[in-house]
Amino acid sequence: MIRRLPEAWRRPLAVTGLVVTAAWLIVVVAAPLLAPYDPLAQKFPRLRPPGGEHWFGTDDLGRDVLSRVLYGARLSIPLTLLLVALSVVIGGLLGACAGYFGRWVDETIMRVADLVFAFPTVILAMAVAASLGASLRNAVLAVLVVSWPAYARVTRGLVLGLRTREFVLSGRLLGFSVWRSLRTDVVPNVAGPVLVLATLDIGTQLLLLSGLSFLGLGAKPPTAEWGAMVASATQVFDKWWVGVFPGLAILTVVLAFNFLGDTLRDALDPRTARAIKERAL
Amino acid sequence: MTILAIEGLTVELGGRPIIRGVDLALESGNVHGLAGESGSGKTMTGLAVLGLLPHGARTGGTISLGGTDLLSLSPKEMNRRRGSEIGMVFQDQSTSLHPMLSAGRQLTDHMRHHLGLDRRRARERAVELLGKVRIPDPEGAFDRYPHQFSGGMRQRIAIAIALACEPRVLIADEPTTALDVTVQAGILRLLRDLCDDLGLAVLLVTHDLGVMSAVADVISVMRDGRLVETGPRARVMRDPADPYTRELLDALPDRSTP
Amino acid sequence: MSLLSVEDLVVDHRSPDRPPVRAVAGVGLTVEPGEVVGLVGESGCGKSTLARAICGITAPTSGSIDFEGRPVGPLGLRRRDPALTRIQMVFQDPFASLNPRRRVGRQIADGLRGDATPGELLERVGLDADMAGRYPHEFSGGQRQRIAIARAIAAQPSLLIGDEPISALDASAQAQVAGLMRALAVESGAGLLFISHDLSVVRLIADRIAVMYLGKIVETGPTAEVWDDPKHPYTRALLAAIPEPDGSGTLPAELPGDVPNPAAPPSGCRFHPRCPHVMDVCSVREPVPRDGVACWLYDSAEPAAE
């Protein structure tokens, strides 16, 4: 697997994804050093277009848009990563149990997952967030509720295929308990595809989380959150810079993680890797 | 009469030579067996004739069918000939048939596409073909779907499709490897009869020397992309000229009754 | 006492909204210590299901499986009773029989008994000891199958089962791997149940052959006897269908018809619709095995029609 990595990672989209992701991660860590002003300070002239003093302009309350975008990264990116990690753990665990044990365990878990799948994701997330009360924490919970079933389903499918694989059976015959079998034979072979799904999912979940904030169901003003910033920009539609820059921030993060996910998938899937190689020749 | 002549065929894949110069002449009414172990290049030779080599493969030499060099044809032109002048049968009948289309539909689509027959004529001919490959109740089989047939019957349908446009050459790559011996026996008899009756030139690619001995007229043995030996069946099987052929024969469990 | 004794075993495959398929329909089989039994039959005859039931992967519907005098139960959530880890199996697909993410040495060490090292076990199956640090993808199919054998024999099994262990290998590797399994089993005094659809290979290594058709064993006997003088019409058909690599161009004999659906097996003898010697009684009553053959042709006692 390691030997296949370089070819897939050398493609332009992969490099773009890596560079943009790395840049955003630096912003997450160093936002206070990079931001020229306090993101919450309302001390500047309102709705100033981008210029020398305010590169991204100022918003309707006289705050520096650049600083708010940079601080927004501190909120959105780590939160989304945490969200995806939780979805993977919850969905993966439930899916693995459903696939390995089958029967009523499988029935129960997958029917609940189907229930979630039966509703449009955004609407269900909105309903959950609204019923829990509008706050960033509840928005995260709402996204979690709609995102775990995808992992459960994928993991279940993979485990179902693995459970009857011959090396898993022969491990059991050699005296592995169910837990040891899951740990040594099943999980390591499921991890790759789930990781790919998770990376591709980071963008979707960031979008969903920002979307909830955009609708007023997540972060509350004056928090610097990208979705909420785009929402407030709708009040001053002719001042494009207020909404475009946080929007671009969302766009670049989503794209970068999608590129990473695609690359990871190609790198882990030997068939695609071969195709890349042949195209290169 | 030589129908298909392969001369000095080389195939390179990713800079690695897969076939390093193969010469074969396929005669009408003859089954030409191509033997060898996995990785010897025997399957690639078949795919080269069909113009189905993997993307990025580089070829050399000529494959001439009726005066045209198949290797110099455009993909579009090759598509037209494959299926009409050259038929093909592969090992895995479960993937070579479309699962959602009835046996008859797959047969007639093919004929209407390549021969331009109308619906009624195509149906008549399809039923006739199903009978020719000895499918019981060809009229009824016409409307059935692949999963309703056994593995052996599916392979017969695949052969019927391959023969639909009266090709002159049939490439059969391990056509019986996935089948049980009793079913294999039926398919081998069918191949032999079709070859004799229709004057087909058959290239039979297989690793099974027993199968080879049963139906092939001429046997070529391949190793590492080269032919080590070509000759009449009885001579190659009983008195091989090349030490590698001898090695292959010696590795076989002695099947005859002591 | 036999090493393995299977009596009247029935295994049904159940699936929702379909009638259960009786894959194994009353099979009796024994394997003695140091004996190599070859179980042959065509795909779908239930031979793999039988093997899986014997080692506990598939739960039987009825009947008994006794190994060294103790009943074999299906695999549960807990780890297997150590006494039952003396049954080991080598599977068909060499590309699925090893975990792709673990070094082969560690996999061989999984069930290791005694003081042999993984390296020594690799040497016993004809590979180099220093290959223990490699991953499965670095090996060919034949080598992987040898590693799977090393993994199985590391547990010092007294019964080794091979479920079509050679059918995915190159012709030249087939006889070698089959011979290796026989040698390892016989030298350690273990029994070997070798399942294959290829009679010509089974013939090389088995002391006794059992022929299975549609969930039943139709003939069993010493290898040479079955090969030279097959009694059951199905065994004869099976032998006649093997193409001989003698260069004579003889087409093997065809067995007409298809294997019937095991969910709705024919009445009486299960082979009667395809049998060239079918008699009236065959479709009415099921023959009882006599001297290892379950066929009315060899039943001297005149069958009383019902």
Side-chain angles (χ1 to χ4, degrees):
Chain A
M1 189 187 92
I2 304 297
R3 286 180 300 126
R4 280 200 296 270
L5 282 182
E7 291 140 23
W9 290 99
R10 248 183 270 142
R11 286 181 301 167
L13 284 188
V15 176
T16 314
L18 273 177
V19 170
V20 175
T21 308
W24 274 118
L25 289 179
I26 292 170
V27 170
V28 169
V29 177
L33 300 175
L34 296 172
Y37 308 105
D38 178 355
L40 302 180
Q42 307 182 3
K43 57 188 179 190
F44 308 108
R46 294 176 182 189
L47 298 170
R48 225 1 133 59
E53 223 163 296
H54 301 282
W55 289 1
F56 289 5
T58 60
D59 67 6
D60 50 344
L61 294 174
R63 296 173 295 199
D64 179 52
V65 175
L66 173 62
S67 305
R68 287 179 67 74
V69 167
L70 293 178
Y71 270 90
R74 290 201 108 178
L75 191 70
S76 298
I77 294 174
L79 212 53
T80 311
L81 291 178
L82 177 76
L83 193 53
V84 171
L86 284 175
S87 316
V88 168
V89 170
I90 296 171
L93 216 60
L94 289 172
C97 288
Y100 201 94
F101 297 115
R103 292 193 282 194
W104 66 267
V105 182
D106 185 22
E107 282 294 314
T108 317
I109 295 173
M110 293 326 287
R111 288 305 79 79
V112 175
D114 285 345
L115 206 66
V116 177
F117 274 123
F119 295 97
T121 317
V122 179
I123 300 195
L124 182 63
M126 275 168 60
V128 174
S131 64
L132 289 172
S135 79
L136 196 54
R137 199 196 55 175
N138 289 345
V140 170
L141 278 177
V143 177
L144 198 57
V145 166
V146 299
S147 64
W148 72 268
Y151 294 93
R153 189 173 268 188
V154 168
T155 315
R156 173 182 176 270
L158 290 168
V159 171
L160 216 54
L162 273 172
R163 192 182 58 163
T164 50
R165 279 300 277 275
E166 305 181 333
F167 68 84
V168 179
L169 291 175
S170 91
R172 293 299 319 275
L173 293 179
L174 286 163
F176 282 13
S177 67
V178 163
W179 299 115
R180 177 144 180 228
S181 172
L182 273 170
R183 212 171 55 232
T184 53
D185 284 339
V186 177
V187 172
N189 287 292
V190 168
V194 172
L195 189 70
V196 172
L197 179 65
T199 317
L200 287 169
D201 206 27
I202 289 173
T204 321
Q205 298 209 15
L206 178 85
L207 219 50
L208 197 52
L209 200 60
S210 312
L212 288 177
S213 295
F214 175 83
L215 295 168
L217 293 167
K220 287 273 154 232
T223 323
E225 203 280 340
W226 293 340
M229 288 161 72
V230 176
S232 69
T234 55
Q235 308 300 318
V236 282
F237 222 72
D238 51 332
K239 309 290 186 283
W240 58 270
W241 58 89
V242 183
V244 162
F245 289 112
L248 275 177
I250 297 176
L251 181 76
T252 49
V253 174
V254 171
L255 275 180
F257 277 109
N258 272 330
F259 291 161
L260 275 192
D262 281 342
T263 312
L264 209 55
R265 184 193 55 214
D266 293 349
L268 288 174
D269 184 345
R271 271 171 306 174
T272 338
R274 214 174 301 131
I276 297 168
K277 201 173 180 180
E278 275 161 18
R279 214 174 306 139
L281 287 166
Chain B
M1 185 183 69
T2 299
I3 292 206
L4 183 95
I6 302 178
E7 274 164 21
L9 176 70
T10 58
V11 175
E12 231 178 70
L13 198 58
R16 216 163 53 90
I18 307 285
I19 300 176
R20 312 154 186 255
V22 162
D23 302 283
L24 289 174
L26 268 56
E27 313 256 320
S28 99
N30 254 10
V31 176
H32 194 124
L34 188 55
E37 297 200 86
S38 52
S40 61
K42 59 186 193 303
T43 291
M44 282 292 169
T45 307
L47 293 180
V49 175
L50 292 165
L52 291 176
L53 287 169
H55 192 77
R58 261 184 263 174
T59 53
T62 58
I63 301 177
S64 52
L65 173 69
T68 352
D69 179 14
L70 297 181
L71 290 177
S72 66
L73 293 180
S74 69
K76 200 174 164 191
E77 181 66 6
M78 191 61 221
N79 271 338
R80 206 181 56 72
R81 301 202 175 216
R82 178 173 57 235
S84 61
E85 288 176 55
I86 311 172
M88 53 195 166
V89 181
F90 295 112
Q91 171 176 346
D92 193 352
Q93 3 76 29
S94 57
T95 54
S96 57
L97 296 179
H98 193 301
M100 307 298 283
L101 297 178
S102 71
R105 174 81 194 279
Q106 300 190 44
L107 269 163
T108 50
D109 270 2
H110 205 62
M111 285 187 279
R112 294 176 67 188
H113 176 69
H114 282 292
L115 302 180
L117 296 182
D118 62 38
R119 192 180 290 272
R120 199 179 51 79
R121 293 259 323 278
R123 187 187 167 101
E124 273 169 19
R125 178 150 165 71
V127 171
E128 182 197 322
L129 272 167
L130 288 171
K132 202 178 251 172
V133 296
R134 297 185 212 133
I135 300 258
D137 179 25
E139 284 280 351
F142 186 89
D143 294 314
R144 282 192 280 158
Y145 289 85
H147 73 267
Q148 293 171 298
F149 295 95
S150 66
M153 288 300 153
R154 279 202 292 265
Q155 194 63 300
R156 285 169 193 268
I157 293 170
I159 293 175
I161 293 175
L163 297 179
C165 301
E166 298 177 345
R168 291 184 286 166
V169 179
L170 180 70
I171 311 288
D173 189 352
E174 306 274 7
T176 60
T177 305
L179 304 173
D180 282 314
V181 276
T182 55
V183 182
Q184 165 175 286
I187 299 284
L188 293 182
R189 285 173 170 265
L190 176 66
L191 273 179
R192 184 71 254 178
D193 292 350
L194 290 171
C195 179
D196 295 344
D197 298 349
L198 307 176
L200 276 176
V202 179
L203 180 67
L204 175 71
V205 177
T206 180
H207 71 281
D208 189 328
L209 293 175
V211 166
M212 203 61 100
S213 165
V215 289
D217 300 296
V218 182
I219 297 179
S220 294
V221 182
M222 246 184 125
R223 182 192 199 179
D224 294 335
R226 284 198 184 88
L227 289 185
V228 297
E229 161 159 30
T230 297
R233 172 192 61 228
R235 212 267 297 137
V236 175
M237 298 296 293
R238 289 178 186 156
D239 183 23
D242 190 87
Y244 178 68
T245 315
R246 157 94 13 230
E247 220 176 278
L248 281 183
L249 286 166
D250 286 346
L252 291 174
D254 177 18
R255 284 163 202 249
S256 55
T257 323
Chain C
M1 186 184 65
S2 298
L3 174 67
L4 173 79
S5 147
V6 175
E7 268 171 49
D8 213 20
L9 190 76
V10 175
V11 185
D12 290 333
H13 286 313
R14 288 170 198 287
S15 50
D17 51 67
R18 240 183 281 166
V21 174
R22 185 146 291 190
V24 177
V27 161
L29 183 73
T30 59
V31 179
E32 306 297 331
E35 185 190 32
V36 179
V37 176
L39 181 62
V40 297
E42 295 182 278
S43 53
C45 73
K47 55 191 193 302
S48 282
T49 307
L50 176 60
R52 280 165 183 254
I54 290 172
C55 58
I57 295 171
T58 306
T61 308
S62 66
S64 69
I65 306 164
D66 287 294
F67 171 69
E68 293 179 330
R70 73 178 68 219
V72 177
L75 283 168
L77 294 186
R78 289 148 149 254
R79 56 172 305 201
R80 196 148 177 71
D81 178 353
L84 291 182
T85 61
R86 300 273 183 189
I87 305 178
Q88 285 302 324
M89 183 137 147
V90 176
F91 294 86
Q92 174 174 4
D93 183 0
F95 292 87
S97 59
L98 296 169
N99 186 336
R101 302 201 176 263
R102 297 175 70 209
R103 294 178 196 279
V104 298
R106 295 200 56 188
Q107 300 194 51
I108 293 171
D110 280 333
L112 198 61
R113 280 194 171 93
D115 44 18
T117 63
E120 284 164 22
L121 284 157
L122 281 173
E123 281 173 354
R124 284 181 65 192
V125 296
L127 299 172
D128 294 336
D130 57 11
M131 289 175 172
R134 298 197 196 163
Y135 284 96
H137 71 83
E138 299 174 57
F139 296 93
S140 70
Q143 289 176 318
R144 285 184 209 210
Q145 209 58 321
R146 286 169 188 268
I147 296 166
I149 294 170
R151 192 181 189 214
I153 61 164
Q156 297 186 347
S158 44
L159 174 65
L160 187 60
I161 301 174
D163 182 11
E164 297 266 13
I166 55 165
S167 60
L169 305 181
D170 259 339
S172 60
Q174 285 191 348
Q176 289 168 11
V177 170
L180 175 72
M181 284 187 76
R182 179 189 164 90
L184 289 168
V186 170
E187 81 189 25
S188 65
L192 172 63
L193 179 61
F194 190 92
I195 295 167
S196 177
H197 66 276
D198 190 344
L199 260 159
S200 50
V201 174
V202 168
R203 178 191 167 226
L204 278 185
I205 63 156
D207 302 314
R208 200 148 59 79
I209 286 184
V211 182
M212 207 165 165
Y213 182 77
L214 207 61
K216 295 241 177 207
I217 289 181
V218 295
E219 177 162 4
T220 164
T223 304
E225 267 179 41
V226 174
W227 185 270
D228 295 338
D229 182 19
K231 300 264 185 340
H232 198 283
Y234 177 65
T235 316
R236 287 190 201 159
L238 211 51
L239 284 170
I242 301 173
E244 282 193 40
D246 57 0
S248 66
T250 320
L251 284 162
E254 190 176 349
L255 175 60
D258 274 329
V259 178
N261 180 2
S267 63
C269 172
R270 290 168 169 241
F271 187 59
H272 88 260
R274 304 172 78 188
C275 182
H277 307 290
V278 63
M279 302 180 289
D280 290 343
V281 64
C282 298
S283 59
V284 184
R285 287 172 57 201
E286 199 160 349
V288 192
R290 244 172 243 265
D291 301 326
V293 188
C295 178
W296 287 119
L297 286 176
Y298 302 95
D299 210 323
S300 49
E302 198 54 40
E306 272 175 27

